[in-house]
Amino acid sequence: MSFPEFPEFPAGFFFGAATASYQIEGAYDEDGRGPSIWDTFCREPGRVADGATGDVACDHYHRYREDIALLRELGVDSYRFSIAWPRIQPTGSGPANAAGLDFYDRLVDELLACGISPAATLYHWDLPQALEDRGGWRVRETAERFAEYAGVVAARLGDRVDRWITLNEPFCSAFVGYAAGAHAPGAREGRGALAAAHHLLVGHGLAVHALRAAGAREVGITLNPDRLLPATDSPADLAAVRRVETLHNDVWFEPLFAGRYPEHEAETWGELLPDGDGSYRLDGDLDLIGAPLDFVGINYYRPITVSDAPYRDADPATRTAVDVRAEETWRDDVRHTTMGWPVVPHTFTDLLVGLAQRYPALPPLLITENGSAEADTLDADGRVRDVERVDYLHSHLDALAAALRAGVDVRGYYVWSLLDNFEWARGYGQRFGIVRVDYDTQVRTPKDSYRWYRRLIAAHRARITPGEDSR
């Protein structure tokens, strides 16, 4: 039996859905949870659209069984969720909060009872505020506390969680949070952001050792590399692409998978690198950061077009924020999602093939996020006909299948996201979910994209295991 309406994937390939703690859980002050940097950021006027917060979000903390039932009906093999560090250690260190661990204990058991493999992300941006008050990711202490936290969680859940992700998109944590100021903690720094990037990687390496010591079976990290396109073929634009490549991609992939710092970091960071390298770098850090991994998670949504630009602050004596002398834009000749992001599926193939070629020792890949924000509406008959999202998912899964045919080792795919949720500084104005959430009533409504994804998963199983119900 063939299913031409769906892209085909090999036997052993799995499908899942993903969420993140601060975006869905709510219950921000219940059962001993401490404040995170996002709780603080949301309360600073002008930081988040419409003054929105994650205080309630999707109320997943109380409705997790309902959400897992949606996952079971969807037919996913795996669910990627994140653990809120402030629920486990309210001040970022010290004894574990029993109620916080109990919540994730119940969540994991419910997933397993439904035949769904748990995939736990340890850090999806909700740093305990107490650690930020002591320097946050700018200082090495936070990396050390992160490893302790990883050990505490793995000791409780490691017998049932097969797949562990240390960090989600450290680019956003370091550069959107500490350089651009658009995410928590809202800083605009240069050396502080570069130190944060390094300490995130150190924290990852220390956490890998802690997870291995606790018996973790699969350990990886999730990165969000970008497919970068020059605005023109001019030498200036090509040089700008190289600098942005350092910022977005090389600062992570080179230490993790090549055992070195980025080749072009001096020309990219300039005087922001003290003493030519960075006083926060210690002997042995590269070995620590490069600890062997079982997989690498890739989050991908859209390409970026890059053109050369002057420094926004041309005086080196006063330049304090990361500035790579480039302007980033989106293509304007294609459809855009409501995030303003261009839909160019073949760039997904290009990115994955390029990574595999550049890093021959790269571990197997998992697509840990891919999806689109669309202008969903609830029709009079109670249905969400999100045709644009179905088209986006279909075309990007086609592009992923093309990367597999080109020889890229990709083992699984998580759609972003199961639920509409708190979209960080954009508040609740963007909807990425394949399930609609009415934020006033908390009613969940599966969209047409949910039904399409369910059929795709069922068709995949029926193709590789004849006799399976293709629904």
Side-chain angles (χ1 to χ4, degrees):
M1 185 181 296
S2 64
F3 301 90
E5 69 172 300
F6 300 117
E8 294 188 0
F9 293 88
F13 191 92
F14 70 84
F15 291 95
T19 64
S21 52
Y22 191 77
Q23 293 181 272
I24 67 167
E25 283 183 1
Y28 78 104
D29 60 353
E30 292 187 37
D31 294 335
R33 179 189 179 276
S36 77
I37 56 174
W38 272 95
D39 294 298
T40 302
F41 188 77
C42 289
R43 283 161 174 75
E44 296 176 1
R47 293 291 202 178
V48 178
D50 301 320
T53 74
D55 290 2
V56 177
C58 304
D59 196 30
H60 175 75
Y61 189 77
H62 300 110
R63 299 170 184 265
Y64 70 92
R65 288 187 177 89
E66 178 183 355
D67 295 335
I68 292 173
L70 287 166
L71 289 165
R72 181 185 60 212
E73 176 62 21
L74 186 58
V76 294
D77 304 289
S78 180
Y79 173 51
R80 177 186 173 223
F81 62 97
S82 78
I83 295 170
W85 190 351
R87 286 202 194 281
I88 308 305
Q89 293 175 311
T91 61
S93 61
N97 172 35
L101 283 173
D102 288 347
F103 169 70
Y104 295 107
D105 207 52
R106 295 191 299 270
L107 177 71
V108 166
D109 283 348
E110 187 77 9
L111 288 167
L112 293 173
C114 293
I116 300 169
S117 174
T121 301
L122 286 167
Y123 187 70
H124 202 128
W125 308 351
D126 41 1
L127 183 72
Q129 181 61 43
L131 289 181
E132 177 60 28
D133 293 342
R134 299 204 295 272
W137 287 108
R138 305 174 193 83
V139 300
R140 198 176 191 90
E141 180 199 1
T142 300
E144 295 165 349
R145 298 292 81 76
F146 179 64
E148 293 174 3
Y149 152 69
V152 167
V153 175
R156 179 68 173 270
L157 304 178
D159 60 329
R160 287 156 292 152
V161 173
D162 291 328
R163 185 171 298 120
W164 294 90
I165 297 167
T166 55
L167 306 174
N168 177 80
E169 297 186 4
F171 167 83
C172 293
S173 298
F175 296 121
V176 184
Y178 286 94
H183 279 186
R188 289 190 53 80
E189 302 174 9
R191 291 180 182 175
L194 294 178
H198 183 72
H199 291 137
L200 281 154
L201 288 174
V202 171
H204 156 78
L206 291 170
V208 169
H209 286 281
L211 290 166
R212 300 286 191 207
R217 291 180 284 278
E218 291 185 40
V219 179
I221 187 173
T222 283
L223 305 172
N224 58 322
D226 279 306
R227 175 64 173 155
L228 303 166
L229 308 172
T232 72
D233 290 331
S234 71
D237 283 354
L238 293 173
V241 168
R242 187 175 65 234
R243 293 191 297 272
V244 176
E245 185 87 30
T246 300
L247 173 73
H248 284 244
N249 300 347
D250 292 358
V251 71
W252 317 109
F253 281 85
E254 293 290 294
L256 284 163
F257 307 115
R260 59 184 178 242
Y261 296 113
E263 177 182 1
H264 300 288
E265 66 175 3
E267 67 190 74
T268 302
W269 311 133
E271 67 285 345
L272 295 179
L273 280 176
D275 301 322
D277 62 354
S279 58
Y280 39 80
R281 295 175 178 175
L282 304 183
D283 290 343
D285 278 357
L286 283 173
D287 290 337
L288 177 66
I289 292 165
L293 299 177
D294 301 297
F295 65 89
V296 181
I298 300 293
N299 293 352
Y300 189 73
Y301 293 93
R302 77 288 179 269
I304 296 175
T305 301
V306 177
S307 59
D308 185 49
Y311 275 125
R312 283 179 287 273
D313 184 350
D315 183 357
T318 59
R319 196 181 304 140
T320 57
V322 166
D323 182 349
V324 294
R325 294 163 286 157
E327 296 291 342
E328 300 175 8
T329 61
W330 317 118
R331 285 180 54 165
D332 59 7
D333 59 340
V334 296
R335 187 182 81 82
H336 290 65
T337 70
T338 58
M339 292 286 285
W341 295 346
V343 180
V344 193
H346 75 83
T347 61
F348 192 18
T349 310
D350 298 341
L351 174 84
L352 296 174
V353 170
L355 288 173
Q357 291 174 343
R358 182 168 181 177
Y359 300 102
L362 198 67
L365 304 181
L366 303 180
I367 306 308
T368 40
E369 288 183 26
N370 176 244
S372 66
E374 305 293 352
D376 301 333
T377 57
L378 190 65
D379 291 352
D381 60 359
R383 184 169 162 184
V384 180
R385 293 172 169 83
D386 55 338
V387 177
E388 294 85 359
R389 181 175 291 104
V390 171
D391 178 72
Y392 179 98
L393 294 175
H394 196 160
S395 61
H396 281 75
L397 281 161
D398 277 338
L400 176 58
L404 269 74
R405 291 193 298 272
V408 183
D409 187 1
V410 185
R411 305 288 178 87
Y413 173 94
Y414 293 90
V415 67
W416 184 269
S417 172
L418 175 66
L419 304 172
D420 290 339
N421 54 49
F422 176 80
E423 184 49 39
W424 307 111
R426 294 176 184 255
Y428 293 97
Q430 301 293 326
R431 292 182 177 268
F432 274 91
I434 58 173
V435 174
R436 184 181 188 275
V437 177
D438 183 316
Y439 298 117
D440 294 326
T441 65
Q442 294 297 337
V443 168
R444 274 79 160 136
T445 303
K447 305 176 186 179
D448 279 6
S449 57
Y450 174 97
R451 298 179 180 88
W452 180 87
Y453 193 47
R454 181 175 63 192
R455 293 198 305 273
L456 176 143
I457 295 169
H460 171 70
R461 289 185 182 147
R463 187 177 63 79
I464 64 175
T465 310
E468 287 276 331
D469 177 12
S470 64
R471 288 199 258 188

